Amino acid sequence: MYQINLNNPCKVYFTGIGGISMSGFAELLHKNGFDVYGSDIKESKITKHLSSSGIHIVYGQSASNITNDIGFLVYTAAVHPDNPELKAAKELGIPIMERAEMVGQVMKNYDNAVAVAGTHGKTTTTSMLSHIYLAAHRNPTISVGGILAVINGNIRIGGKEDFIIEACEYTNSFLKFHPTAGIILNIGADHLDFFKDIDDIRLSFRKFAELIPAGGILAINSATSNISYITDNLKCKVEVFGADSPDGYSASGISYDVNGCSSFEIAKSGIKTGRHIKLNVTGRHNIDNALAAIAIADYYNIPEEAISEGLLAFTGTERRFEVKGSFNGVTIIDDYAHHPEEIQATLDAAARYPHKHLWCVFQPHTYSRTRSLLPDFAHALSLAENVVLADIYAAREDDPGDISSKTLQQEMEKHGKKAHYFHSFKEIEDFLYKHCTNGDLLITMGAGDVVNIGEDLLKR
């Protein structure tokens, strides 16, 4: 098995270099002395940035792009097996690896590699931990699944002591990682187009926990169902957390300001520690996220002052309860929530945010997720006073013809909750512009392009 060594750079080729994660790691290797080449279908803002950094990019994928002086080739899961560059690399005997495997190999080059996993909350918690490390002047290398303002992007290339990364369970990508520390925020039913059921998902999280070696740590939410299945007989130290947890890290004396941001005192096993935390992000779920970050930071002996400072400085990432602006006195917030538990957490947070009436425009993400979690979506969305549904964002899937946002509307109505459905964004925007009034709060929600609705309204 080929092993990437940051101390022994070579020529590397990225097939599909323009992706958000691929581009970040292409830049990381480039800055560590690797001669980075890559291809993509078309030019983009990302590829222009890479080119300006000295990375060699070609447009269009061809066997002629692959030369025998390439040390290894990286590709994404979206690349088809008959891709000409992939086939050419195999014929030349060039080592090839999928993106997640490449990330895992890069992690081996760092003294401390923290992987943040969970069905939801990964981006926020990775960002919180990043802020803490930066406040402590630890010079971490960071890979996060969203745009984090403090690092002006989704990746930061620091020293080789600390590596912080978001670890996604989809297609078992995180099982190719090599963490020395891990976080499990929650385990829920999602990505059922890949996993068989919740037991299959829990098995993957158990395998993730087993990756952490002796001398490392796993911080896991104490509310995890049958937690012992995940934690029994692990080689690493296990620390639990949760706002209401009787064990491990919990929160005492929780209070909220006018914007729904919390303050609390850290408790350990029910005993107050005298350490006070103020968050600048909304929602009770972010207390759990902060406690997870605190548990890891404490394990690595980060000063208490840096922990408090880092968490206070964190004001959120792009598309996570992001205030976009206002029109006619209506505040627009955009959120990436696309799973029922995420929707509930976001709407709970919105309930504490100043508003007269709460509007939620929801764009379901993938047909398979909408079908498998239909009743849960209907229940979670019912927390909003007014619900408007957009068409399902297909992402990687083809329309099967038997599930739609109309189906979700009917499911909500079965439970006594009215929802509006419109086929086009234009119809939704016209409806909202007419019916939202001064003092209302409008949340555009989903992992697709629903953000455009709010941005279009702000231009009117």
Side-chain angles (χ1 to χ4, degrees):
M1 173 72 70
Y2 185 84
Q3 174 58 51
I4 298 171
N5 184 350
L6 296 186
N7 294 318
N8 185 25
C10 63
K11 182 176 179 180
V12 55
Y13 193 95
F14 284 76
T15 295
I17 198 169
I20 189 70
S21 177
M22 289 278 276
S23 62
F25 278 88
E27 195 165 358
L28 184 152
L29 292 178
H30 175 66
K31 289 192 176 180
N32 276 280
F34 286 72
D35 191 12
V36 179
Y37 286 69
S39 66
D40 218 305
I41 302 301
K42 60 182 179 180
E43 188 177 54
S44 67
K45 183 179 178 181
I46 290 175
T47 60
K48 286 180 181 178
H49 167 72
L50 294 177
S51 293
S52 70
S53 302
I55 292 172
H56 316 277
I57 299 178
V58 293
Y59 298 100
Q61 294 170 346
S62 166
S64 62
N65 295 331
I66 306 304
T67 53
N68 58 15
D69 59 341
I70 293 172
F72 63 95
L73 179 145
V74 183
Y75 66 97
T76 68
V79 172
H80 199 272
D82 65 0
N83 179 280
E85 294 182 346
L86 215 59
K87 290 172 67 176
K90 291 177 181 178
E91 290 170 2
L92 290 170
I94 296 170
I96 63 172
M97 62 186 77
E98 196 268 327
R99 183 200 63 85
E101 182 184 340
M102 176 269 298
V103 173
Q105 290 201 18
V106 168
M107 290 173 74
K108 286 184 177 181
N109 290 268
Y110 293 82
D111 298 335
N112 308 307
V114 183
V116 181
T119 309
H120 26 263
K122 295 184 290 294
T123 297
T124 295
T125 306
T126 304
S127 300
M128 285 179 167
L129 198 56
S130 298
H131 268 270
I132 290 170
Y133 273 60
L134 291 169
H137 307 291
R138 294 269 295 219
N139 193 26
T141 295
I142 298 165
S143 175
V144 63
I147 302 302
L148 183 59
V150 73
I151 63 173
N152 195 33
N154 72 314
I155 196 154
R156 178 186 190 272
I157 300 156
K160 293 180 183 175
E161 182 181 6
D162 297 309
F163 188 91
I164 304 169
I165 186 168
E166 187 171 324
C168 182
E169 74 276 15
Y170 185 55
T171 68
N172 282 329
S173 291
F174 65 175
L175 298 187
K176 295 174 181 173
F177 287 5
H178 296 277
T180 60
I183 292 174
I184 295 179
L185 296 163
N186 36 63
I187 304 174
D190 198 11
H191 300 304
L192 294 174
D193 57 327
F194 175 77
F195 294 107
K196 299 174 187 174
D197 50 30
I198 185 62
D199 290 334
D200 193 25
I201 296 169
R202 286 172 56 79
L203 175 61
S204 286
F205 276 93
R206 167 67 196 193
K207 290 178 178 178
F208 169 76
E210 290 174 346
L211 295 174
I212 304 168
I217 182 174
L218 171 69
I220 183 170
N221 195 321
S222 64
T224 303
S225 178
N226 190 15
I227 191 171
S228 62
Y229 172 78
I230 306 296
T231 60
D232 278 358
N233 302 313
L234 294 178
K235 294 173 288 187
C236 65
K237 172 184 172 67
V238 175
E239 187 68 78
V240 298
F241 64 86
D244 302 315
S245 176
D247 304 307
Y249 286 78
S250 61
S252 176
I254 300 171
S255 63
Y256 296 90
D257 65 17
V258 294
N259 291 320
C261 300
S262 63
S263 297
F264 59 91
E265 181 180 353
I266 301 171
K268 283 291 297 290
S269 299
I271 301 172
K272 296 179 181 180
T273 64
R275 298 168 60 186
H276 294 271
I277 299 295
K278 171 77 173 73
L279 299 182
N280 257 328
V281 285
T282 59
R284 188 178 178 86
H285 61 291
N286 276 320
I287 298 176
D288 280 358
N289 294 338
L291 289 169
I294 291 166
I296 295 296
D298 279 355
Y299 182 76
Y300 284 114
N301 298 314
I302 291 180
E304 295 177 9
E305 297 80 11
I307 294 172
S308 300
E309 179 187 334
L311 289 172
L312 182 62
F314 175 63
T315 57
T317 58
E318 189 177 275
R319 301 218 62 207
R320 271 70 176 181
F321 212 83
E322 181 187 7
V323 179
K324 304 290 288 188
S326 63
F327 75 97
N328 298 340
V330 179
T331 300
I332 297 180
I333 288 175
D334 181 59
D335 197 273
Y336 193 71
H338 56 284
H339 183 279
E341 292 177 16
E342 295 170 344
I343 293 168
Q344 182 168 334
T346 299
L347 293 178
D348 283 344
R352 294 189 176 94
Y353 198 87
H355 67 277
K356 286 184 180 178
H357 304 288
L358 175 60
W359 293 79
C360 176
V361 181
F362 179 62
Q363 180 188 45
H365 188 264
T366 72
Y367 301 101
S368 59
R369 181 183 284 115
T370 307
R371 179 191 291 106
S372 62
L373 301 174
L374 187 67
D376 298 321
F377 276 120
H379 175 74
L381 288 166
S382 295
L383 294 174
E385 188 176 349
N386 304 283
V387 178
V388 179
L389 300 174
D391 278 331
I392 295 172
Y393 188 83
R396 55 190 172 267
E397 298 180 345
D398 295 323
D399 185 353
D402 61 351
I403 185 76
S404 69
S405 290
K406 192 74 177 173
T407 317
L408 177 54
Q409 180 191 37
Q410 293 165 353
E411 182 72 16
M412 293 184 69
E413 290 175 348
K414 275 185 0 187
H415 297 281
K417 180 67 178 183
K418 183 179 179 181
H420 305 276
Y421 163 70
F422 299 98
H423 177 65
S424 71
F425 280 8
K426 177 65 165 57
E427 291 173 287
I428 292 174
E429 291 161 16
D430 290 344
F431 176 82
L432 294 171
Y433 196 82
K434 179 179 179 181
H435 290 89
C436 291
T437 59
N438 184 25
D440 287 357
L441 176 61
L442 168 62
I443 299 181
T444 55
M445 184 183 292
D449 56 357
V450 67
V451 61
N452 294 336
I453 291 174
E455 292 181 347
D456 287 344
L457 284 168
L458 292 174
K459 295 173 185 174
R460 288 198 175 191

